[in-house]
Amino acid sequence: MKNIIIIGATSAMAKEVAKLYAIDKANLYLIARDISKLDTIKQDLIVRGASTVYTAEFDANQFDSHETLIEQAFQTLEQVDVLLIAHGSLPNQERCQTDCSKAIEEINTNGISVISLLTHAATKMEQQQSGNITVITSVAGDRGRQSNYVYGAAKGMVSIFLQGLTQRLSKSGVHVLDIKPGFVDTPMTAEFDKGALWAKPEKVAEIIKKRISKKNSFSYTPAFWFAIMTIIKFVPKAIFNKISL
Amino acid sequence: MKKLTSWGKYPLINANIIIPTTRQHLAGLELTGIGRGLGRSYGDSALSEQVIVSENLNHFISFDEENGLLRCEAGVSLDNILTVFVPKGWFLSVTPGTKFVTIGGAIASDVHGKNHHLEGSFSDHVTSLTLVISDKEITCSRNNNPELFHATCGGMGLTGIITEATFKLKPIKSAYINQKIVKAKNLNTALELFEQYKDVTYSVAWIDCLSTGSNLGRSLLMLGEHADKGKLKTHKDGLLNMPCDMPSFLLNKYTIQAFNSAYYNKQLKEEVNSTIHYDPFFYPLDGINNWNRMYGGNGFTQYQFVIPKEAGKEGLTEILEAIAESKQGSFLAVLKVFGKGNQNLLSFPMEGYTLALDFKLNDKLFSLLDHLDIIVRKYDGRLYLSKDVRISEEMFKASYPQWEAFQTLRTEYGADELYHSLQSKRIGL
């Protein structure tokens, strides 16, 4: 029976991951901003087969609460097999360009808060000498683009942080996984018209669970985003600056 | 505003789409329009200038293993339920021919299945449901607000937005079905076979509706019982996909005739027994994603009627003759015997025979269907609202005698001012 902590557990992808572990009768520790939504999810996961579901409320931007939050989760579960960090927000880029406080807030939510949580959790995992840390970042972190570079900068920061963390924790047998989804059909992207590149959160969740169990560290989800992002990363700046991505 | 249509792909309208995030959120919004799940009703019963989509109301709430009682939100689909509960040894008490239906939709349409003659329709297994009318949440059952319960089950979403329900699942030992397919050389034989096998849990007949004369109504009768042996293995996602609309001309009287003939003759023996997984037995078309594209860009409609048992042979013969004569063949024609109907005011099933026919939409079709309406009315039958896109107010009111009680109740709760679909406006509700 696995013990799983999920931060940002009300997000569509995280919910689907939790469902997969619930079928395996896991013990789940769910953390999110909206406790009433968490209660609904908790009931759902118990019906699906989860052994125990704990819930805790948190505000990503209350950095000083993170240590206690992580401490309590590790204490409750004793041994943590998987820690998934999935919270985030999709900012309005135009607003971030004119309102600096908004831009900072978004960087805090999508970047700094994740780094803060990871810092506390990494020590715990290191002490355990086992387990997995998975963070959902984004393909947007690979190259800054005019349409969402504030979000991209925060996600890119986390990805670089994870590279270092992976190297550090590999020595203690902790597996670190950076998941970079492309377009995912979730409530966060409800306003977008969906084309062939869009994936369902159920699909993304299956990939995440598989990569965790196989200790795979490939980031792009689904995998075809590797090809797309390779091209995007290598488009020469002179051309890149002329296109509207 | 977004373009919106339903499974028959006709009509295509502009609609304001609202997706409440939670049940509590839904009640606070005081929404008007019509509730919508996965949009698998064929016509315009889930189309309105504003639709309230249950996409996020997809959580299980509780499960009582003693009695098989599942409580869940209205946006949970039959597909979701099978995925979670088949491995635990439970199955849906009643299922329609697709698993891509939400619980809210199954209740609003009071869907029926291959076991109607023995086990009734979906809502016969519902013990309680909650709906939101404006900002009020009302829970109803056979004992608690029974009038509202019987209006909501089969009420096409016109009494309010269903947010959750409790219903019974049935225990199974295996995910497999013992199937028997029997050939019937004409309608008479088919009806006799239904009588002979009336104690079998699941039964349905596929009819070749282009055959005429002594072959009129030749069919394959498919019977099934849950098997005792075999793993409790759930279904897989559909592997095939219809990538785009097929050219409309591909479905014509010749291709349909050829298909029907080949399908009828695929089985040479009079009777074939086999054990198959529940997925192809109950949901043969779910394996092909977007199969509605087969009918081309203009879309299609399903004409499903029921006529009382005593009118049976005569009525079905008259209708099959009218279709064969029109040469507007139906690709899919399915015949089923219904047991007794229930107390729900607008539920479709009544004791008798029901035939469902898919037709590609074209200029000549509606006049054929108007002609069929006259025959159905002559035999005191009625049409299934979840499949309909065209019946007149007169036809509806003549064949659903409890419509007035339904409308009075809607007025009493104020639902008549709030909830409507293109269909409800057309049929005078």
Side-chain angles (χ1 to χ4, degrees), chain A residues 15-16 19 23 34 36-37 40-41 43-49 185 187 190-194 206, chain B residues 2 19 21-24 55-56 58-63 70-71 73 76 80 83-85 88 237:
Chain A
K15 255 167 72 171
E16 295 303 323
K19 285 180 191 174
I23 297 170
D34 188 335
S36 74
K37 277 189 189 168
T40 306
I41 293 168
Q43 289 172 333
D44 178 79
L45 295 171
I46 287 172
V47 173
R48 283 172 196 273
D185 185 1
E191 297 300 310
F192 294 72
D193 285 327
K194 315 286 187 304
E206 274 174 33
Chain B
K2 277 194 173 169
I19 309 176
T21 50
T22 61
R23 271 178 281 158
Q24 296 75 7
E55 193 172 296
N56 293 326
N58 58 356
H59 299 95
F60 294 116
I61 301 169
S62 63
F63 182 59
L70 174 63
R71 185 175 164 211
E73 292 184 330
V76 168
N80 300 147
T83 306
V84 174
F85 286 93
K88 297 178 195 282
D237 290 344

Side-chain angles (χ1 to χ4, degrees), chain B residues 132-389:
Chain B
V132 166
I133 304 177
S134 183
D135 60 345
K136 288 190 297 290
E137 242 190 1
I138 306 177
T139 297
C140 52
S141 66
R142 285 176 185 80
N143 304 317
N144 182 12
N145 298 312
E147 299 85 6
L148 191 59
F149 179 81
H150 289 296
T152 302
C153 294
M156 303 307 292
L158 300 171
T159 57
I161 309 293
I162 302 170
T163 56
E164 60 152 282
T166 306
F167 49 93
K168 254 186 177 324
L169 298 182
K170 65 157 99 165
I172 49 168
K173 292 181 187 144
S174 150
Y176 290 80
I177 302 284
N178 291 329
Q179 179 183 247
K180 183 197 288 291
I181 301 181
V182 190
K183 253 182 158 173
K185 61 182 190 295
N186 55 36
L187 183 67
N188 280 354
T189 320
L191 299 185
E192 280 164 17
L193 285 169
F194 268 118
E195 192 57 34
Q196 184 186 331
Y197 289 108
K198 62 176 192 263
D199 296 330
V200 174
T201 309
Y202 301 106
S203 60
V204 69
W206 167 86
I207 288 200
D208 173 2
C209 61
L210 284 180
S211 56
T212 52
S214 61
N215 282 337
L216 185 84
R218 67 175 181 177
S219 46
L220 297 175
L221 182 70
M222 298 170 206
L223 303 154
E225 291 287 358
H226 288 283
D228 286 338
K229 293 196 179 101
K231 283 191 179 155
L232 288 165
K233 193 178 83 176
T234 191
H235 59 276
K236 293 243 185 309
D237 290 344
L239 293 175
L240 302 171
N241 184 30
M242 193 77 76
C244 57
D245 291 329
M246 292 256 284
S248 196
F249 65 85
L250 279 182
L251 273 193
N252 57 48
K253 65 182 175 187
Y254 303 106
T255 54
I256 293 175
Q257 204 154 30
F259 170 82
N260 282 359
S261 200
Y263 195 81
Y264 178 74
N265 290 310
K266 73 171 182 177
Q267 174 172 330
L268 295 173
K269 289 187 193 153
E270 286 297 306
E271 188 182 310
V272 171
N273 291 289
S274 59
T275 301
I276 63 169
H277 191 256
Y278 72 78
D279 201 32
F281 181 79
F282 288 105
Y283 315 110
L285 287 168
D286 282 354
I288 309 166
N289 296 325
N290 302 309
W291 65 259
N292 54 342
R293 289 177 175 162
M294 182 176 77
Y295 289 90
N298 293 336
F300 73 112
T301 189
Q302 191 169 85
Y303 188 84
Q304 181 165 11
F305 66 87
V306 55
I307 50 171
K309 206 152 197 179
E310 51 282 8
K313 207 174 293 176
E314 198 186 337
L316 288 172
T317 305
E318 195 170 337
I319 287 171
L320 285 172
E321 278 172 350
I323 295 166
E325 198 179 313
S326 78
K327 298 278 199 300
Q328 296 206 54
S330 158
F331 201 58
L332 190 85
V334 173
L335 176 67
K336 164 89 204 107
V337 180
F338 276 156
K340 284 202 165 39
N342 55 29
Q343 291 181 48
N344 302 337
L345 300 179
L346 294 191
S347 243
F348 168 65
M350 61 159 102
E351 192 164 23
Y353 296 104
T354 180
L355 185 63
L357 305 143
D358 279 355
F359 290 102
K360 182 172 77 172
L361 282 176
N362 61 35
D363 302 342
K364 290 179 292 185
L365 180 65
F366 281 10
S367 62
L368 168 68
L369 300 185
D370 289 342
H371 177 55
L372 297 184
D373 282 358
I374 294 168
I375 308 174
V376 170
R377 259 187 84 171
K378 186 170 90 180
Y379 291 102
D380 293 324
R382 63 181 170 225
L383 301 188
Y384 191 13
L385 295 175
S386 305
K387 308 280 179 79
D388 161 68
V389 71

